[in-house]
């Protein structure tokens, strides 16, 4: 029986639940907010309809896939799961306490994966009695569309857990890449300094946000410019990741741009608030 639990039903959690259900898993999607769970269901429904229209899934598959997803506001609902992915808010204190609780709720042989973008898997794992079964499974947004999963080995993650998660990622139609537990892993270690540099270029008046994004799209063949991408990710999320890398790697080259700090303080967080480097 393939029974997964996904903790957190926001941007990433709904996409992760979608993909597991699409590939035959029964999924329990858990969030503290019933409203978020209801919204996640309608998002998944809309995304499945879009996939069906494009022929990515059979035209009659959507109801069956959605039928495999249950929702709950209680972490206890994760108890029957034989695989768990945590995609709750990016906050170390929250994740540490979640893993302490999930360690008590889930059977001891169950793998507990975290979708964290930047928090140390080693530190998360150390909060449990099964550090060998804790691993990073870093899906990209939007999860149903994006091919990559960064699979992050913590200091104590076992070979067996790593192999299981690499194989499982492939079985979910993804391409996994194994990386070590360093701040930012690979994706954000390289992406965030580029975004940060683009923000410095705006701050210093090198060019307008439109021009900077055009240079990177037409000159480097990036599908999205760094500033539009930052708006999509959320400027608060970008700032949080840069802070983790700055602190964890100790190199001033990761210093978050003051303009980024100011925009986050002003509440201009990108798409989700309607305003960032661009208006939405
Ligand atoms: P989000 O804010 O959209 O969703 C987080 C959800 O977690 C919220 O719905 C919140 O109610 C829920 N939550 C908070 N505390 C909880 C608890 N105790 N139990 C259950 N649910 C709880 O955030 P997101 O963008 O989906 O990010 C989730 C994780 O995925 C983070 O670790 C983030 O770093 C990572 N991530 C995000 C992206 C991205 O582009 N947004 C990409 C890769 C990884």
């Amino acid at each position: 029986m393939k029974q997964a639990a996904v903790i957190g039903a926001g941007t990433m959690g709904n996409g992760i639940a979608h993909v597991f259900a699409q590939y035959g898993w029964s999924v329990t999607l858990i969030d503290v907010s019933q409203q978020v769970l209801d919204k996640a269901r309608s998002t998944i429904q809309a995304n499945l309809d879009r996939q069906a229209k494009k022929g990515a899934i059979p035209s009659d598959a959507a109801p069956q896939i959605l039928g495999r997803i249950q929702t709950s506001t209680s972490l206890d609902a994760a108890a029957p799961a034989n695989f768990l992915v945590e995609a709750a808010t990016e906050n170390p204190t929250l994740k540490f306490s979640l893993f302490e609780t999930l360690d008590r709720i889930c059977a001891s042989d169950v793998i507990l994966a975290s979708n964290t973008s930047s928090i140390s898997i080693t530190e998360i794992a150390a909060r449990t009695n099964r550090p060998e079964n804790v691993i990073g499974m870093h899906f990209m947004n939007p999860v149903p569309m994006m091919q990559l999963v960064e699979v992050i080995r913590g200091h104590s993650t076992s070979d067996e857990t790593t192999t299981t998660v690499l194989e499982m990622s492939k079985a979910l139609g993804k391409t996994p890449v194994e990386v070590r537990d360093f701040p930012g892993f690979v994706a954000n270690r390289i992406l965030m300094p580029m975004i940060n540099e683009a923000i410095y270029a705006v701050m210093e008046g090198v060019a307008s946000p439109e021009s900077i994004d055009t240079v990177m799209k037409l000159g480097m063949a990036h599908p999205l410019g760094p500033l539009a991408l930052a708006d999509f990710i959320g400027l608060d999320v970008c700032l949080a990741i840069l802070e983790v890398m700055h602190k964890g790697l100790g190199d001033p080259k990761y210093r978050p741009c003051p303009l980024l700090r100011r925009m986050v303080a002003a509440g201009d967080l990108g798409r989700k608030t309607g305003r960032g480097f661009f208006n939405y």
Side-chain angles (χ1 to χ4, degrees):
M1 176 64 179
K2 297 198 292 182
Q3 173 74 49
V6 178
I7 313 299
T11 312
M12 297 304 287
N14 83 64
I16 294 167
H18 173 142
V19 168
F20 273 84
Q22 185 182 337
Y23 285 88
W25 288 71
S26 290
V27 181
T28 306
L29 181 58
I30 300 172
D31 201 287
V32 284
S33 155
Q34 184 60 49
Q35 205 186 339
V36 168
L37 289 169
D38 295 341
K39 187 167 165 234
R41 273 199 94 83
S42 46
T43 303
I44 295 169
Q45 169 89 65
N47 289 340
L48 284 168
D49 289 346
R50 194 171 316 128
Q51 280 180 310
K53 237 180 240 151
K54 283 198 303 195
I57 56 171
S59 58
D60 56 353
Q64 219 183 354
I65 294 171
L66 198 62
R68 284 198 277 269
I69 302 175
Q70 292 147 25
T71 60
S72 175
T73 52
S74 165
L75 283 180
D76 290 330
N82 42 39
F83 190 83
L84 181 140
V85 185
E86 171 277 320
T89 313
E90 185 79 343
N91 173 314
T93 315
L94 169 71
K95 296 218 195 257
F96 295 159
S97 122
L98 262 176
F99 272 76
E100 278 169 21
T101 309
L102 292 167
D103 189 41
R104 285 197 295 273
I105 291 173
C106 298
S108 59
D109 59 340
V110 170
I111 293 175
L112 306 178
S114 175
N115 187 51
T116 179
S117 304
S118 58
I119 299 167
S120 160
I121 298 300
T122 304
E123 283 187 50
I124 291 175
R127 306 299 162 131
T128 72
N129 292 312
R130 65 181 93 191
E132 69 286 358
N133 288 345
V134 176
I135 193 162
M137 200 174 184
H138 187 207
F139 290 89
M140 303 290 132
N141 181 24
V143 182
M145 305 280 298
M146 296 293 278
Q147 195 66 42
L148 177 70
V149 180
E150 262 188 312
V151 174
I152 301 118
R153 284 188 79 129
H155 186 75
S156 310
T157 309
S158 69
D159 290 345
E160 195 187 342
T161 296
T162 308
T163 306
T164 302
V165 170
L166 290 170
E167 289 306 316
M168 181 181 297
S169 304
K170 288 184 207 157
L172 293 171
K174 304 295 183 200
T175 302
V177 173
E178 185 181 331
V179 310
R180 290 277 169 183
D181 188 18
F182 280 84
F185 314 132
V186 171
N188 285 315
R189 172 100 175 234
I190 295 171
L191 175 64
M192 287 301 157
M194 180 184 72
I195 286 177
N196 203 35
E197 198 59 31
I199 302 173
Y200 272 108
V202 176
M203 188 178 77
E204 291 169 13
V206 178
S208 68
E210 290 79 7
S211 300
I212 291 167
D213 273 13
T214 301
V215 166
M216 297 306 285
K217 280 191 291 184
L218 302 188
M220 318 299 157
H222 288 194
L224 208 61
L227 299 166
L229 181 55
D231 280 352
F232 180 70
I233 294 168
L235 300 191
D236 52 338
V237 176
C238 293
L239 177 58
I241 296 171
L242 280 161
E243 303 267 35
V244 167
M245 287 175 21
H246 190 208
K247 184 159 172 265
L249 295 161
D251 190 320
K253 74 180 173 186
Y254 302 109
R255 180 175 77 108
C257 177
L259 175 60
L260 174 62
R261 285 189 192 287
R262 206 168 70 206
M263 290 176 74
V264 171
D268 289 352
L269 306 182
R271 272 181 186 273
K272 60 185 158 191
T273 58
R275 198 159 65 176
F277 291 99
F278 302 99
N279 291 321
Y280 302 90

